[in-house]
Every structure is written in C-alpha cells, then in structure tokens.
Amino acid sequence: MKATGLIVEYNPFHNGHLYHLTKSIEQSNADVLIVVMSGHFTQRGEPTILNKWERTKMALANGADLVIELPYAYSCQHADLFAKGAVSILTHLHVNELIFGSESGNIDELIQLESITSGIDFQKAVRKWVQTGLSLPKANAKALEEFNFTKELGTSPNNTLGLYYIRAVNELQSPIKVGTLTRIHSDYRDQAPTHDKISSATSIRNLREQRADFSTFVPKNVQDILDEHYRQTNTYHTWETYFPFLKQKILTLTPKHLVEIHDVEEGIENRLYSAMMKSSSFEEFMDAVKTKRYTRTRIQRICANILTHTTKEWIHDLQLATGAPYVRLLGATPTGKQYLKSIKKDVNVPIYSKFDSKGHPMLKHEQSVTAAYSSILPEPHCTNLNIAEFSNFPLHFER
C-alpha cells in the first residue's frame, strides 16, 4: 500500500484543507492517507478551537485514514522542531510521500531555496542583519534579497514551513519524497474571508466567535461538530478565555520560577510578571509584552508552556532533535488499520493505541496539556476530557 502523509492542525478543518487532502491523494496516487495532527495547542502557541478527539473526527470524516498525534513537545515549538517531530513520525510509519501546501507550488524551487538558506553563508548574512537590530524575520528577508531571491518566496508562511519540512527530511535522512500543492484563495493570516468557499482557519474562528455564518467555508460535518461543542459547553477556546488561568499562574509562579519555563530567556520573566500585574485582558497583556525580539507567536508559546508547566529542563532531557520516540494513534478507518497492521513489525518505536502511564515522558506530559486545555470547560466536560486522555481508544470511522 502506498502511503501519503500530511502535517496538519485542522483548527478547524475547512474547505481549503479538504482541497489539500483530496488533491494530495490524487497527486500521489495514495492507497492510504496519514495525517500527523497537533494536539491541544498549535505551532503558533494557540489553544485549538476544538479538542484533539473532535478534530480527529473531522479528519476521518473527510478523507484521512490514520490520525496520529504530534506531541505537545513538538507541536508548540519553533518551526524547526515542529517539522522534525512530524516528519520523524511519518518516517516511522514508512510514508512514501509528504505533501504540503505552499504559496510557491513549485517543489524544485523550494528544494533549491532550502539548500541555500541552510548554508553557512546565508546564516552569516542573517546574523549580520540581526546585529543591526532587525527582528529575525526581517533579517531573513534582507538575507534573501542578498542572495537574489524574492522576499516573498522565502518569507511567505507556507513556503517557510515547507522549507523546514524539506530540511527535516534531509537532516533525519528520511527516504520520504517531498511534494507541494499551491495554496489557493486565502492566506492563513486573513482575518476575514476573501473568497466565497475557501477561507483561512483564522477568519473562520473569528466568524464563529462573532456568531456569524461560516457554513460556506467548512464541510457540513465540521459545522455540526462545532455547533454541538458550543451548544454543550457555551465556550470558545481562545487565549482570552484562558486569561484568568494564565494570570493566576504567572502571578503565583513569580519571576524566580518563570525563568524555569521553556523558552523564557533574557530576563523576559520580569517583563511577563510586571505586564500581567497591570493587564486586565490577554490582548492588553500581549501589547505590553511583545517586542521586535519577542513576537506574538513566541509569547503565545511561552504562555502555553506556563499553563502546561513545560520546563526547560524537561525539554532539554527529551533530545527533540533526534525525532519523536513513539507514535500515538488517535483515530483510524479500516484502510488505516489494515495499513498499520501491514507495517507494524517494521516500526522501530512504540505505537500507542491508548495512553500508557508507564510510557515515554513525552506521552505522560499530555495529561498536563489536557488539564490546562480543559480548565475553561464547564463540568462535566472538563472532567470528561481529562478522563478521555488516559481512557480513550483510537476513534474508529467507517467510510
């Protein structure tokens, strides 16, 4: 069986994701489609609109055959480790091809760009611009111009993430073939829809919070899951809803203990504490903390690490650069189960179909992640989600 892999967040699943999924199957002629999906927090450090079990349902209902969890230690990280974790999981599962969306749509162009940007001379150029006071993204754009690449090619968000996927394949010496599809109609940063059928996940989340109609941008089964979640919990998973819990954590930890949290560096623990003392909302807090050096995305990841108590020492001990140490199955179709059975003897890491309290520390940390994520939910939903973390078997979906 030929396996194609996607690296996703589905926050939430929308028509653009459906296009990516179906076109990837067509382009690769795959027999089985495997998605590696972030759990409860995204790469940009945001809580997901729905929990991982509900987003697994969305993926299976719309064409995925296996849904594998990208552990928090990788999912809420800078792009290099995010990509390395996901690519290593796809490699463990003997995936033939990884297909990602990009603004370029030209895999040869992106492979060439990755080769140059990972080189010593390019990295020296980036450091030179950083030393002038530019932020890392702006320094990267200046270096691209020095090497006669358009700024857009190397700084467009999906192109950039694609470069890290290509780099991870190379550094892990993975046999996976890499391909790309052109992202159509919307940019992931769009705050409002720009097309009548395909819109960014950001704009869909905004529409949902505003109680506006988003039905034309998502499959019907996705809208049903979103509507049912809100009907039961009357809750949106946004940083604003987590703000009281974040405030309590920061002000009770104090700077002395905040410095132990992963990604807290260069005295920012004092800035976090003093800003939180004066802030009455998450947006006010963000405005007070972020700088050229500390972007919104990085601050959000720090906030997620604070909520989940993810420490520097714990991350260091995991040796993330070597790749994910296990595979955790969240859901499968009969085709996915058949594929997993056919390769199981050749997979060199544990495959968890259920939480194992004696499992890898990275797996056990998911309990803390779920506890943080579930904290805003009313009872009994909060307790039920925490129980699901260690009691759920993979979701089964008959297509």
Side-chain angles (χ1 to χ4, degrees):
M1 298 175 75
K2 184 176 182 181
T4 291
L6 308 181
I7 299 169
V8 305
E9 291 182 326
Y10 292 162
N11 188 36
F13 190 98
H14 56 66
N15 292 340
H17 294 135
L18 184 60
Y19 173 85
H20 177 213
L21 192 151
T22 55
K23 287 296 182 182
S24 294
I25 294 173
E26 291 176 15
Q27 180 170 304
S28 62
N29 197 28
D31 300 303
V32 59
L33 187 79
I34 301 173
V35 303
V36 175
M37 185 183 78
S38 299
H40 289 140
F41 289 86
T42 69
Q43 194 266 330
R44 290 175 57 80
E46 296 172 327
T48 55
I49 189 170
L50 292 173
N51 69 61
K52 60 191 175 189
W53 305 107
E54 291 172 309
R55 286 162 38 249
T56 295
K57 289 179 189 175
M58 292 176 176
L60 295 173
N62 288 285
D65 292 302
L66 288 173
V67 180
I68 309 298
E69 180 175 31
L70 181 62
Y72 176 87
Y74 286 107
S75 71
C76 194
Q77 282 279 13
H78 55 79
D80 179 51
L81 286 176
F82 175 86
K84 198 158 285 180
V87 168
S88 66
I89 290 171
L90 293 175
T91 304
H92 291 324
L93 293 173
H94 299 278
V95 163
N96 303 99
E97 186 170 359
L98 161 64
I99 298 181
F100 59 88
S102 68
E103 291 82 6
S104 165
N106 185 328
I107 192 61
D108 292 332
E109 180 180 57
L110 293 174
I111 288 173
Q112 179 192 18
L113 179 61
E114 191 284 324
S115 176
I116 290 171
T117 56
S118 61
I120 294 174
D121 290 342
F122 186 86
Q123 295 304 318
K124 284 182 179 177
V126 172
R127 285 195 294 272
K128 176 189 72 177
W129 287 108
V130 166
Q131 288 167 3
T132 68
L134 291 181
S135 66
L136 185 57
K138 289 182 178 179
N140 192 63
K142 285 287 189 182
L144 284 165
E145 291 175 355
E146 281 190 39
F147 281 75
N148 298 317
F149 286 101
T150 64
K151 180 176 68 175
E152 290 72 24
L153 179 63
T155 58
S156 297
N158 293 280
N159 284 354
T160 300
L161 199 50
L163 295 179
Y164 282 105
Y165 295 150
I166 295 167
R167 189 168 301 165
V169 167
N170 293 336
E171 290 181 353
L172 293 170
Q173 298 182 323
S174 171
I176 291 176
K177 176 186 175 184
V178 182
T180 191
L181 289 167
T182 305
R183 185 180 176 112
I184 60 171
H185 300 313
S186 72
D187 185 281
Y188 90 101
R189 295 166 295 193
D190 288 341
Q191 297 294 313
T194 58
H195 186 265
D196 61 346
K197 293 292 184 183
I198 293 179
S199 189
S200 70
T202 300
S203 66
I204 292 169
R205 292 194 299 272
N206 289 342
L207 287 172
R208 185 177 182 240
E209 287 178 43
Q210 296 159 14
R211 309 287 181 93
D213 180 26
F214 56 87
S215 59
T216 61
F217 305 114
V218 299
K220 176 65 165 58
N221 49 38
V222 170
Q223 184 182 9
D224 290 343
I225 293 171
L226 285 164
D227 289 346
E228 180 62 15
H229 172 82
Y230 188 74
R231 187 188 68 79
Q232 290 191 16
T233 66
N234 197 36
T235 301
Y236 293 121
H237 292 271
T238 69
W239 265 121
E240 211 60 72
T241 57
Y242 285 90
F243 180 72
F245 299 91
L246 180 66
K247 186 166 192 169
Q248 184 268 339
K249 286 280 285 188
I250 288 176
L251 295 184
T252 54
L253 279 174
T254 73
K256 177 183 175 182
H257 297 103
L258 285 172
V259 76
E260 299 172 2
I261 298 297
H262 174 58
D263 221 18
V264 172
E265 297 172 355
E266 300 169 347
I268 198 172
E269 66 275 9
N270 297 308
R271 190 178 181 91
L272 291 167
Y273 187 85
S274 61
M276 187 58 84
M277 283 290 290
K278 298 176 284 187
S279 298
S280 58
S281 71
F282 185 74
E283 287 305 316
E284 188 178 344
F285 172 69
M286 287 297 300
D287 288 341
V289 174
K290 64 184 180 181
T291 64
K292 286 183 179 180
R293 189 170 184 84
Y294 282 89
T295 62
R296 182 185 180 97
T297 293
R298 186 169 180 187
I299 297 299
Q300 286 181 160
R301 287 200 291 258
I302 289 174
C303 290
N305 291 335
I306 291 169
L307 277 187
T308 59
H309 201 73
T310 303
T311 64
K312 291 174 181 172
E313 181 181 10
W314 183 77
I315 289 289
H316 176 269
D317 290 345
L318 293 177
Q319 298 181 319
L320 296 178
T322 60
Y326 65 86
V327 172
R328 185 187 186 183
L329 180 63
L330 295 180
T333 64
T335 300
K337 290 180 179 179
Q338 180 186 353
Y339 176 78
L340 207 54
K341 185 177 180 181
S342 72
I343 66 164
K344 200 167 186 179
K345 290 181 181 178
D346 298 317
V347 177
N348 297 321
V349 296
I351 299 177
Y352 294 110
S353 56
K354 189 180 179 183
F355 185 87
D356 185 351
S357 61
K358 297 179 181 179
H360 195 276
M362 197 182 296
L363 176 65
K364 290 191 281 187
H365 188 60
E366 299 300 329
Q367 282 189 295
S368 297
V369 175
T370 296
Y373 181 81
S374 66
S375 61
I376 66 166
L377 294 172
E379 294 292 2
H381 304 286
C382 175
T383 296
N384 289 345
L385 186 57
N386 280 291
I387 291 173
E389 182 61 39
F390 60 83
S391 67
N392 272 14
F393 285 96
L395 301 179
H396 177 76
F397 187 85
E398 290 279 356
R399 192 172 294 123

